[in-house]
Amino acid sequence: EDKVVQSPLSLVVHEGDTVTLNCSYEVTNFRSLLWYKQEKKAPTFLFMLTSSGIEKKSGRLSSILDKKELFSILNITATQTGDSAVYLCAILTGANSKLTFGKGITLSVRP
Amino acid sequence: EAQVTQNPRYLITVTGKKLTVTCSQNMNHEYMSWYRQDPGLGLRQIYYSMNVEVTDKGDVPEGYKVSRKEKRNFPLILESPSPNQTSLYFCASKRDRESTEAFFGQGTRLTVV
């Protein structure tokens, strides 16, 4: 059975801090790893990672995948209160193109 | 505007009363799917459809039905809802089986009493 484990489950930081969110996985027929941000509504797409070692960057957010060790990290630098959200990691697998999600990481950024 | 539209956004119903949650996308996407999101369990796939008239079970299909008679619509049907189907439901679509980015609807919060 495919498994996606995110850690920590939740964290609270102050504005300006840097955070690292973790996602590890055990799946068959890996295709891609995706990160989403969810703010009390629909998840919104952040990154898609397919190859090891290639950092994806968007403003203060960056992510990288390690296919040997089966994990990914999402970094957020200089956090802002608007970064408060649930961050979801998902693995795309198989011929049926299934997305398997982790339970999510709740990030709270305090002023 | 490209979007996935779910209706209703909120629904409170009683056990056993059949209901349908609609999902429509305007992006001509082939692939559509339904998820439920529960505290501590994350998003779990209920059903998916790779194209018109092609549907298959996800991880938690029990108590649900779907249909895909036309490309844009993918309704979720609860023939006899039970309290354990109280959840937040998301419909998602993507261009096709090979594409990676999924677009999500705004969610339907269902309460079954």
Side-chain angles (χ1 to χ4, degrees):
Chain A
E1 183 183 331
D2 295 341
K3 194 190 303 185
V4 180
V5 179
Q6 293 186 249
S7 64
L9 286 180
S10 69
L11 70 162
V12 180
V13 301
H14 285 102
E15 271 192 316
D17 288 350
T18 294
V19 297
T20 299
L21 310 181
N22 302 293
C23 176
S24 64
Y25 60 92
E26 290 177 32
V27 301
T28 53
N29 203 356
F30 174 93
R31 289 175 54 191
S32 300
L33 182 146
L34 295 92
W35 283 97
Y36 286 87
K37 179 182 182 182
Q38 186 177 23
E39 298 172 90
K40 293 187 179 177
K41 49 185 180 181
T44 53
F45 175 80
L46 293 175
F47 295 112
M48 187 268 291
L49 302 150
T50 304
S51 302
S52 274
I54 299 173
E55 185 183 52
K56 292 280 183 91
K57 206 166 164 59
S58 176
R60 296 175 294 103
L61 277 67
S62 63
S63 184
I64 197 161
L65 172 67
D66 185 329
K67 289 171 74 174
K68 184 180 173 190
E69 301 296 330
L70 307 183
F71 78 91
S72 172
I73 59 172
L74 174 67
N75 275 322
I76 308 175
T77 59
T79 52
Q80 302 171 356
T81 54
D83 294 327
S84 296
V86 175
Y87 290 84
L88 300 168
C89 173
I91 306 293
L92 184 70
T93 60
N96 63 3
S97 200
K98 178 184 168 187
L99 272 177
T100 300
F101 284 85
K103 294 179 182 178
I105 298 171
T106 302
L107 172 64
S108 298
V109 181
R110 300 279 165 83
Chain B
E1 182 192 347
Q3 60 187 5
V4 179
T5 304
Q6 293 178 228
N7 278 297
R9 295 288 309 280
Y10 301 90
L11 177 61
I12 302 174
T13 190
V14 296
T15 298
K17 185 171 181 180
K18 180 179 177 180
L19 67 91
T20 299
V21 184
T22 63
C23 174
S24 181
Q25 50 91 7
N26 62 0
M27 296 169 278
N28 202 36
H29 284 174
E30 290 184 355
Y31 192 104
M32 298 184 75
S33 53
W34 276 102
Y35 296 86
R36 60 178 290 174
Q37 187 173 32
D38 302 289
L41 295 175
L43 277 151
R44 294 176 293 167
Q45 190 182 60
I46 303 170
Y47 268 94
Y48 66 95
S49 169
M50 286 204 248
N51 214 327
V52 175
E53 301 293 0
V54 181
T55 64
D56 209 344
K57 296 176 181 178
D59 293 321
V60 288
E62 294 78 22
Y64 304 96
K65 285 172 55 176
V66 293
S67 70
R68 189 90 184 275
K69 293 186 170 58
E70 47 191 344
K71 190 182 263 192
R72 65 184 295 126
N73 295 323
F74 190 43
L76 180 69
I77 303 153
L78 285 73
E79 293 272 3
S80 182
S82 61
N84 65 11
Q85 293 178 296
T86 293
S87 187
L88 178 59
Y89 291 87
F90 287 103
C91 178
S93 76
K94 57 193 183 106
R95 189 181 65 242
D96 52 37
R97 191 179 71 185
E98 300 305 315
S99 60
T100 51
E101 184 179 353
F103 296 81
F104 284 82
Q106 291 300 299
T108 295
R109 187 165 292 282
L110 171 66
T111 303
V112 184
V113 299

